[in-house]
Amino acid sequence: MTAIASPPPLHRHPSLTSSQDQARQRYLSTPDAEKYAAIDRVLDRRGGRTHEAFVGGQETKEFLRKTCKILVIGAGGLGCEILQNLALMGFRDIHVIDMDTIDISNLNRQFLFREADVGKAKSIVAAEFVMKRVPGVKVTPYYGKIQDHDEAYYKSFNMIITGLDSVEARRWINATLVGMVDEDDPESLKPLIDGGTEGFKGQARVILPTMSACYECSMDMLTPPTVFPICTIANTPRLPEHCIEWASVLEWPKAFKDKKLDNDDPDHIEWLYQKAADRAKQYGIEGVTWSLTQGVVKNIIPAIASTNAIIAAACCNEAFKLATTSAPSLDNYTMYVGNDSIYAFTFKHEKNPECPVCGGETVDLKVKKGTKVESFIEMLTENQRFQIKKPSISFGSGQPLFWQAPPQFYEQTKHNLEKDLDELIASGDEITVTDKALPFSLDLRIEFE
C-alpha cells in the first residue's frame, strides 16, 4: 500500500501558470471559514428540505472534515471527477483504489493526469495531484485490486463510492458489503454510492446493504455481455470475434499454461491478434484487426467527459448528504440520458426477493425436459439476470457436473455436455453455479417442465 501522509511542501506546482499559482497561494492563506463559506451556509441552519435528523453546526462540520473516512474505488474518468469534488466539498480523509496505470488515451478526460504520468499508477498520481491542489486534504492511494483487502479494511470507512467500468468489480464489492452487515452492529452497514457511465448515458444510486435494493437486485437492467458458446468458438467459428475469443480462451492457456493474460500488455494483444488472424484465414473469415482484438478482450466502453462530470456530481452530492444529513438521500436510483437532449429520471428500485446476494434464498429455475447440458449452459449465459460467461456446475456435495476449468476437470466432465440434464439430476434438485464473473456461488433449484 502506498500512503502519502501529508501534502508535498508548498511551492509553485510546475503545471500551473503564474496566475494560477497566485490564485493557489491565495487559497492556501485563506482560513477554512472562508474556504467553505458556501458549504457552511448549508450546514449552519435548517432548510425546507433538511433531513429530520440534521444537527448541523460545528459538530457536523468537524465530522465532515476531521472524522469522515471515505473510499473511492476507481481513479479513471469518473474517479478523477469524484476525487476532485470530494476534496473541494470538505472531505479530508479520502482513500482511493485503482489497479490500472495511465495510458495516453486517458488524457482527454481524466484531467488529474498529464503526459509525463503515462505508465504510472492512476491512484498514486491522482492522490498526489489532489493534495497539491487542495491543501489540507489527505488522499491515501492503493495500487491494486479491491479483492486484495478483507472485510476489516472496508469496515474502517464511513461510506464507499464506486466509479468503476467493471460489472464484476461492482458485484464483488456489493456482495462483500452485504455479507459483512451484522444486525447487532449498526456500524457494520456501510453505504455504497455507485456511479456508472457509458457514452452519453449514466446512473447514480445509493445502496444501503440489506436495507435497500443491492447491485445484484438490478442485474436484469444491464445490457447482457456478449458471450460466445465454447462449442462455437472451438468448432464452428463464423465471426471475427469467435476467432479472437478462441485465441484468448482456448489457445492462450494451452500456450502459456499458468501465465495470466494481461489485457493491457501490447505484446499479449499482438500474440492474440496473430493467432486469431491465422484461424480466421483458415475458416475464410474477414475482419480480424489488432484494434478489434483489443476491443473484444478488454470489452472497451466509450467514455465522455461531460457525462462523467454530471454523474460524479450526483454521487458526491449523495455522499455529502449522507455525511451531514443536510438533506434526505436519494431513494435510490437516478439515471441520465444526454444522447439527443437532456433527460433525467429518479425512481426507487425495489429489492428482488430472489436476489442471490441480499435475498439469501435459492433461486428457482424451470428447465424443459430433454434439455442438453450444453444447451442449459448456453441458457445460463444468455440469462440477463445472472450475467455469467463461462459457468461451471456442481450438484450434491460438490460433485462436478461440468467444470470449465482446470483442464483435467474439463476433460473429465465434457462428456456430460451431450447428455440430457434430467438424466443427471432430478426435478427439485439443487445445483451450484460458479463463474469468474460471480463473487459468490449461485444456488439454483431446478424444476423440469
Side-chain angles (χ1 to χ4, degrees), residues 260-295:
K260 187 177 179 181
L261 175 64
D262 185 352
N263 298 341
D264 294 314
D265 190 325
D267 293 335
H268 291 194
I269 300 297
E270 177 65 25
W271 188 91
L272 295 178
Y273 164 62
Q274 294 296 340
K275 285 290 182 181
D278 290 343
R279 185 168 178 82
K281 184 177 180 181
Q282 177 185 351
Y283 283 87
I285 299 171
E286 298 182 354
V288 174
T289 63
W290 199 95
S291 60
L292 179 62
T293 302
Q294 184 184 46

Side-chain angles (χ1 to χ4, degrees), residues 21 32 36 65 74 111 151 216 240 245 283 336 357 365 382:
D21 188 56
D32 281 357
Y36 302 115
R65 294 162 195 167
F111 60 91
E151 287 188 0
E216 199 72 27
E245 283 282 294
Y283 283 87
Y336 163 82
V357 172
L365 188 66
E382 292 170 359

Side-chain angles (χ1 to χ4, degrees), residues 6-34:
S6 60
L10 302 180
H11 56 79
R12 184 178 184 277
H13 191 267
S15 65
L16 303 180
T17 64
S18 177
S19 60
Q20 287 175 325
D21 188 56
Q22 291 174 7
R24 179 172 182 268
Q25 295 300 329
R26 288 195 298 271
Y27 181 85
L28 295 178
S29 60
T30 304
D32 281 357
E34 294 182 37

